[in-house]
Amino acid sequence: MNKFIMNNMPKVYFGEGALKTVLENEIDKIGKKVMLAYGGGSIKNAGIYDEVMTLLHKYDKEVYEFSGIMSNPTYFKVQEGAELVKENGIEFIIAVGGGSVIDCCKIISAQAKTDRDIWTMEFEDKQYPTEFIPMAAVVTASGTGAEMNNGAVITNEDLKIKAGMLGALAQFSVLDPTYTLTVPLKQVISGAFDTFSHAMETYFGKPLENNVSNEINETIMRNTIRNMHAVMKDPTDLNARSELMWDSAMAENGILKLGKVTDFQAHQIEHQLGAYTNCNHGQGLAIIHPILYKHIYKEGLIKFVRYAKEVWGIKDTQLSDEEIALEGIQRLSDFIIEMQLPTALSEIGITDKDMLKKVADSTNIMPGCCKQLTHEEIYDILLECL
Ligand code: NZQ
Ligand code: ZN
């Protein structure tokens, strides 16, 4: 097991009515001037907006709205939000949404505390923010686990780079599964596949030998698969949506990563695909994962065999290790089809090979898994994804 330091996580309020409880318990920590940040309006249709507003007004808060945070949030949007915070002396940010809204606010929170350009600061000067406008995350669509950490994925449209930045850690996170009941099934499934991807990308990270984090991870993966089946069968199944919400938090709260190197090569490829095409995160991952794994499984055979047995329940002792590993990857592919996720880039309208070359060449190479890829291999993988 590798050395590790375990950081504190945000305080989590989970369950129906969690927002009310949060505000009752934490109101002293929330300044008077509050920015309420959200996306394209789903929270209004779901009645969540009214609930938040009513509670904030009850506690006499001065509310500044910041709306229109898009999926795959842009650096431009971060700057717009930071301006609003600075101009109005906002003291607290409440991000109400999925990963996109939460990520955007994490960086707004940091940008609002410095006059330096935070992109240049992080990517060129390799300096990371230490001061933040305090924030809370209210999750309305789960999957990314963004509410549990200080990483944020932001698209710089000028540079055509979608990259992970470091921003604020929510002071508290509200996970009320009833908020997710209005999320369309397609998004629930793509969000849950994102969770599954986080678990897999951690599981296959070095070291390959098993440890307690991997065993917890196997439970999270099995639980995610089981509840994705349940929610497909009955989209109104609140228990399944609740389980998926906590799986999502567990996959990104750091616990599965203890003693491991996280690799996230599929994520790095998908992020660049997102920078060029604005594709849905979970859908992009579903297309990339099986093909990536067919390229690397031989170098991580022990782990792929264990994954096949423990996650997919493959028991056939007549099979060789290589056959078991391949059967595990096949089960993953079958599951993706069963979940009605896309299996080819062409299914989501991506066919331009020259553009894919740019995606491959600009993808970060990660050394943490069983095999370190080259940009050429990533291009081959993307061509196979077509
Ligand atoms: O914009 P609105 O109108 O709110 O609609 C959203 C959006 O269309 C909708 N939605 C959210 N809550 C809803 C709802 N619709 C109905 N009812 C509700 N209660 O869902 C759609 C997708 O939302 P979005 O936040 O874009 O999706 P997701 O949560 O999948 O976040 C994706 C972003 O997170 C990044 C991704 O790269 C992507 O940019 N990630 C962040 C991570 C992190 N910070 O740890 C890790 C991930 O790997 C990921 O990269
Ligand atoms: Zn993800």
Side-chain angles (χ1 to χ4, degrees), residues 3 34 64 147 249 358:
K3 290 196 275 191
V34 176
Y64 296 78
E147 69 280 9
K358 290 182 191 152

Side-chain angles (χ1 to χ4, degrees), residues 1-70:
M1 202 155 177
N2 297 340
K3 290 196 275 191
F4 64 80
I5 298 170
M6 188 172 168
N7 282 324
N8 287 333
M9 294 168 207
K11 191 168 177 181
V12 173
Y13 286 77
F14 186 95
E16 189 168 0
L19 181 67
K20 190 164 171 282
T21 315
V22 151
L23 292 178
E24 280 164 4
N25 290 358
E26 312 281 349
I27 202 68
D28 294 345
K29 299 184 188 139
I30 301 178
K32 176 137 182 98
K33 294 183 169 200
V34 176
M35 181 167 102
L36 169 60
Y38 55 97
S42 67
I43 68 159
K44 289 194 171 166
N45 300 333
I48 303 166
Y49 171 89
D50 285 343
E51 189 185 336
V52 178
M53 275 301 207
T54 307
L55 282 167
L56 289 174
H57 286 143
K58 178 180 163 199
Y59 291 105
D60 211 19
K61 300 296 172 191
E62 217 173 279
V63 183
Y64 296 78
E65 289 190 42
F66 181 59
S67 63
I69 299 176
M70 62 293 277

Side-chain angles (χ1 to χ4, degrees), residues 38-43 46 48 69-73 96-103 106 140-147 149-155 162 179-184 187 190-191 194 198 252 264 267 270-271 280-282 285:
Y38 55 97
S42 67
I43 68 159
I48 303 166
I69 299 176
M70 62 293 277
S71 285
N72 301 327
V96 186
S100 298
V101 172
I102 298 168
D103 279 2
K106 288 176 184 175
T140 65
S142 70
T144 66
E147 69 280 9
N149 57 50
N150 67 342
V153 187
I154 302 295
T155 301
K162 181 175 172 184
Y179 287 177
T180 70
L181 282 170
T182 50
V183 180
Q187 179 61 35
S190 96
D194 185 24
H198 296 158
E252 275 300 308
F264 279 57
H267 267 69
E270 194 288 329
H271 285 164
N280 175 285
H281 180 57
L285 289 168

